[in-house]
Amino acid sequence: MTLTVLMNAGPWLSVPPPGYGGIENVIATLVPELRRLGVRVVLASVESSTLPVDERIAVFPDGQFAALQRPYNQVCGVSQAHLAGVVRALHARDDVDLVHDHVEAVGLATLAAMGPDAPPVLHTLHWDLAKHPELYGNLDGGDRVRVNGVSASQLARAPRALREHSVGHVHLSTPLAVDADRRPAVAKGEHAVILGRINPGKGQDLGARLAHRVGFPLVLAGPVGPYHRPEDLAAAGDEARQNPDVRFFHEQVAPYVDGDLVRWVGTVAGQERDDLVASARVSLFPLRWEEPGGTAVVESLSLGTPVVATARGCLPELIEHGRTGLLTTDEEELGELVLAGGLLEAGECRREAAERFTPARMAERYVELYDRVRRGAARPLQLA
Ligand code: UDP
């Protein structure tokens, strides 16, 4: 019997996303593999999504991401309108075997409130679970609603009620991991790279300060709030500083960006992104938060670039210290590790990625979880 899954991607960005879009990228990577395994996928997204699927549901014509810059009272109806469309569809049909939901907070709350006649739900937690304590701390989805994390460390810190609904974790994957061990080696440059949103949790300020202290070239790639190119940020003027990430960049990072030793190149995509990471001596993750999943980490391994990082969040699960990267709890030591990390073997990183972080591996694991959720056999994690 064919399994039909309603994949709820939400209203914020099309799938695949036009540029930056962590969750939408995960869905774009997962869905083709699920379909290869024989799963029928109904995608709930926006009309402009182009990902090949079996059926689509959409309330909005295009991604609503830009609306997130508006005040709460103007934006709070967006995800609700999308979820109302999903609920209408679920009431109108009886062929959906399971909903795989990726919509933060509203998806979980709405689908849990639907009651026992609704299909089983697996809600993937892509986020920092310290958020929404009132929602997560009081969750009651019975046997019908289950959650999964994107790392064990993320779930370990989750409120008890959320952990009681958990069927475990599934690490993130990347198409770059496919045959990563068979790709020819790439010539390495001198630079380290930090790939990610410019944000205090990602620690670009620390990385840039260490680059100057230790003396290694550093490339910062990623958006600053909604600004993807340095010229757009420069043109935005002072009003842009209302965005906390813009303020963080101007106050904490920009003083170290001299355009020579430390450069901010804006968002990079496609081949340009891959070349930048593949040619880097290491990828640096000077984290100040508990990184929940770390797509950029598994991408770096796939591209043969060792990872130097603060030992926080999922990093110790993804990186083997001394083989595929170097981890430390000492922020200052990170600088010296950038130099030492360049001596690790690119081939080890690529082999690890090809074995552990392919989309096929992720999809197989999700099919297992779909089965457990549907059988209602999901056991809660061992709680402390
Ligand atoms: N990314 C990108 N270009 C950039 C910066 C980041 O394509 O300039 C991508 C990166 O390759 C990864 C995603 O954005 O696929 C970031 O996901 P991650 O899980 O590392 O971080 P998040 O932003 O979700 O916390």
Side-chain angles (χ1 to χ4, degrees), residues 108-327:
L108 181 62
T110 307
L111 293 163
M114 275 189 81
D117 295 338
V121 173
L122 179 65
H123 172 85
T124 297
L125 299 156
H126 294 270
W127 311 278
D128 168 9
L129 303 182
K131 289 195 280 179
H132 321 306
E134 297 78 8
L135 173 66
Y136 292 153
N138 296 301
L139 179 66
D140 183 4
D143 279 345
R144 188 179 62 82
V145 177
R146 293 287 168 174
V147 302
N148 77 278
V150 290
S151 66
S153 72
Q154 176 206 29
L155 284 173
R157 278 186 302 275
R160 187 184 179 97
L162 197 58
R163 279 186 288 145
E164 282 172 347
H165 287 75
S166 167
V167 284
H169 68 275
V170 183
H171 284 144
L172 296 171
S173 72
T174 167
L176 294 169
V178 178
D179 293 335
D181 50 340
R182 297 204 206 141
R183 278 200 296 272
V186 170
K188 291 287 185 187
E190 286 300 304
H191 66 280
V193 63
I194 303 182
L195 184 76
R197 294 173 284 126
I198 311 278
N199 169 275
K202 303 274 183 187
Q204 284 89 352
D205 57 324
L206 171 61
R209 180 169 66 71
L210 293 174
H212 282 282
R213 180 171 70 67
V214 177
F216 57 84
L218 177 66
V219 180
L220 307 175
V224 174
Y227 305 102
H228 291 280
R229 300 184 310 168
E231 52 270 37
D232 296 340
L233 180 63
D238 270 357
E239 228 174 78
R241 290 187 189 233
Q242 284 173 7
N243 181 304
D245 289 346
V246 173
R247 232 174 16 250
F248 167 69
F249 178 77
H250 283 306
E251 291 169 10
Q252 313 284 331
V253 183
Y256 299 106
V257 178
D258 59 1
D260 182 22
L261 195 65
V262 178
R263 296 187 297 133
W264 173 50
V265 296
T267 302
V268 290
Q271 196 60 47
E272 190 192 357
R273 180 196 67 176
D274 298 353
D275 291 345
L276 175 67
V277 175
S279 64
R281 134 201 347 231
V282 299
S283 287
L284 178 59
F285 294 87
L287 302 172
R288 292 233 180 69
W289 77 324
E290 308 302 335
E291 182 78 40
T295 306
V297 175
V298 299
E299 289 167 349
S300 179
L301 295 181
S302 307
L303 292 163
T305 299
V307 167
V308 169
T310 328
R312 295 188 72 156
C314 62
L315 270 293
E317 287 169 56
L318 304 183
I319 298 300
E320 190 181 321
H321 179 77
R323 187 166 72 86
T324 55
L326 295 172
L327 305 178

Side-chain angles (χ1 to χ4, degrees), residues 77-93:
V78 173
S79 49
Q80 276 80 354
H82 173 88
L83 257 299
V86 170
V87 169
R88 270 197 305 277
L90 290 174
H91 281 316
R93 56 197 294 170

